[in-house]
Amino acid sequence: METVTRPRILVVGAGFAGVECVRRLERKLSPNEADVTLVTPHSYQLYLPLLPQVASGVLTPQSIAVSLRRSRRYRTRIVPGGAIGVDLKAKVCVVQTITDKIVDEPYDYIVLAPGSVTRTFDIPGLTDHAYGMKTLAEAAYVRDHVIAQLDLADASDDPAERASRLQFVVVGGGYAGTETAACLQRLTHAALRRYPRLEPGLIKWHLIDIAPRLMPELGDKLGRSAQEILRRRGIEISLGVSIAKAGAREVTFTDGRVVPTRTLIWTAGVVASPLIATLGADTVRGRLAVTAELALPGYDGVFALGDAAAVPDEAKHEQGAVCPPTAQHAMRQGRQVADNVIAALRGLPLRPYEHRDLGLVVDLGGRDAVSKPLGIELRGTLAQAVARGYHWSALRTNVAKTRVLTNWLLNAVGGDDFVRTGFQARRPAKLKDFEFANTYLTPEQVRAHVAGRALDSPAD
């Protein structure tokens, strides 16, 4: 007697794209229609755009980490680990669990949404001395580190040590870097009232980027407005400049300047997850080349989206245009890919993804913000209301919305606090310590591993 099994749908990654896909699958598939499995190192969805506010203490870490196990429709099996290889022909995903065990997850349909990792370059000392802003742990760690510099500077009688501890360098003039510099500068400025021995002029923030403009997607006027706001606050902005060398106590810029500092925050872009390189498939600037239907050409039942996929931007009607790696695209692609998986499962035609950009919002802390919803340029309090309204509405659960709104209200009424949580009581963390960046397999290693498993399995 033959055993009839349900189709197996495997989703890799619990970012905006992966979670939206899983939740839509749970809503639209009948309980006996397919089995859904999610591979992720963490059983929560992280709302990345609000990480700078966690770093500055405006929001608590758990307020932007939405548990995947709270859903009442929850029936997805979660595999706690990271995918390190995929054999597209054998339809097997190789997973390293959080206990370092290697397991194989066979599938009939796979949705690849592994996201991205911090992009680094071959700069001496960078990975040894820089901090990132890509994970929840990094944001909490950076907050501890910045407050620790204030405490250590206050306790020191050495002018040189004080100067190096009170200078902070942020590399990357995109949204993450600009918001990180803005929010943390606001935190250190507010802290001065609590540190009477520290002179205000000693605290200096540097924001540098190799590009000629900050956040060019905002346009000239809003970009200049953001720069003016930051410069008014005392943040020194250097464009056309990057890092030549990083050390434990100083950073050398490419223009020759040497800045004494104990804090280097690296936010100079992201690259697709190393998982994509294990597939041996075509890529576009490191992102997996897919069709407008979010499918991988030449492979049945393989879909990819989000930061790891070069999804054609049908709304622009430009040859070669791909969707930017933003949260709004990832969320909407997640819903579309779920619909297409279900369509493939039921033998129906797939639909292409098309979405017009809703605009951009940049929260600079306090009442400062610049926003461009639907092409309308806004500044100040109204822009701040739009920015926070957008982020609040994008949070997936009412619990998360309540926590974030409560945190905002408490911060507005009670102001900042300067509590360290003790993350730095142990050894200093490195840039790559916070990302799931274990050794990924090569395509040849994936095939060899899967073939070896097949040979070792008992005969039917």
Side-chain angles (χ1 to χ4, degrees), residues 395-450:
L395 292 166
R396 193 172 51 79
T397 68
N398 290 329
V399 171
K401 290 180 179 180
T402 301
R403 283 175 174 164
V404 167
L405 184 59
T406 302
N407 286 174
W408 280 337
L409 290 173
L410 284 174
N411 183 260
V413 174
D416 299 295
D417 67 72
F418 312 101
V419 175
R420 284 192 285 145
T421 54
F423 284 125
Q424 295 200 76
R426 305 297 179 186
R427 65 178 178 85
K430 308 300 182 184
L431 181 64
K432 292 294 184 182
D433 287 348
F434 293 102
E435 297 184 13
F436 190 88
N438 293 316
T439 303
Y440 286 81
L441 304 179
T442 65
E444 292 76 19
Q445 289 173 325
V446 173
R447 288 193 293 269
H449 170 83
V450 172

Side-chain angles (χ1 to χ4, degrees), residues 157-413:
D157 293 323
D158 182 353
E161 180 184 354
R162 276 193 168 192
S164 67
R165 292 195 182 280
L166 296 178
Q167 289 206 71
F168 307 88
V169 178
V170 179
V171 183
Y175 304 111
T178 301
E179 290 187 334
T180 297
C183 291
L184 286 173
Q185 185 275 338
R186 187 172 179 271
L187 173 70
T188 55
H189 179 75
L192 283 175
R193 297 192 300 272
R194 317 295 183 188
Y195 294 88
R197 293 184 68 230
L198 299 182
E199 299 177 17
L202 288 178
I203 295 183
K204 296 178 182 178
W205 281 85
H206 302 264
L207 176 60
I208 71 173
D209 193 271
I210 197 66
R213 289 187 298 167
L214 287 184
M215 301 175 292
E217 298 87 349
L218 285 174
D220 289 337
K221 290 183 180 179
L222 283 185
R224 284 198 300 270
S225 294
Q227 288 190 47
E228 289 170 5
I229 291 170
L230 298 181
R231 281 176 171 148
R232 264 201 320 269
R233 289 192 191 173
I235 297 177
E236 184 175 323
I237 300 173
S238 300
L239 300 175
V241 176
S242 188
I243 295 296
K245 183 173 63 174
R249 299 187 178 186
E250 65 180 27
V251 170
T252 304
F253 292 177
T254 53
D255 62 4
R257 282 180 292 163
V258 178
V259 176
T261 182
R262 310 292 180 99
T263 307
L264 172 61
I265 302 174
W266 180 266
T267 65
V270 296
V271 294
S273 166
L275 177 66
I276 298 305
T278 75
L279 305 179
D282 292 338
T283 59
V284 177
R285 295 183 180 179
R287 300 167 70 184
L288 197 61
V290 298
T291 66
E293 292 77 20
L294 307 165
L296 183 63
Y299 295 94
D300 180 46
V302 180
F303 300 85
L305 66 164
D307 290 7
V311 179
D313 195 341
E314 298 287 291
K316 287 188 175 179
H317 305 290
E318 297 177 8
Q319 184 68 29
V322 298
C323 296
T326 62
Q328 62 176 284
H329 277 293
M331 294 169 69
R332 287 159 179 82
Q333 288 170 10
R335 297 166 198 156
Q336 185 63 59
V337 83
D339 290 344
N340 283 348
V341 170
I342 294 171
L345 185 67
R346 297 172 180 173
L348 301 174
L350 309 185
R351 292 178 52 202
Y353 170 77
E354 183 174 351
H355 167 68
R356 293 190 180 277
D357 205 306
L358 298 178
L360 306 165
V361 294
V362 182
D363 190 333
L364 300 175
R367 298 180 181 179
D368 293 326
V370 290
S371 300
K372 196 175 182 180
L374 301 175
I376 303 172
E377 296 186 350
L378 301 175
R379 301 167 181 78
T381 304
L382 183 57
Q384 180 66 282
V386 170
R388 294 203 169 181
Y390 172 78
H391 290 315
W392 184 82
S393 65
L395 292 166
R396 193 172 51 79
T397 68
N398 290 329
V399 171
K401 290 180 179 180
T402 301
R403 283 175 174 164
V404 167
L405 184 59
T406 302
N407 286 174
W408 280 337
L409 290 173
L410 284 174
N411 183 260
V413 174

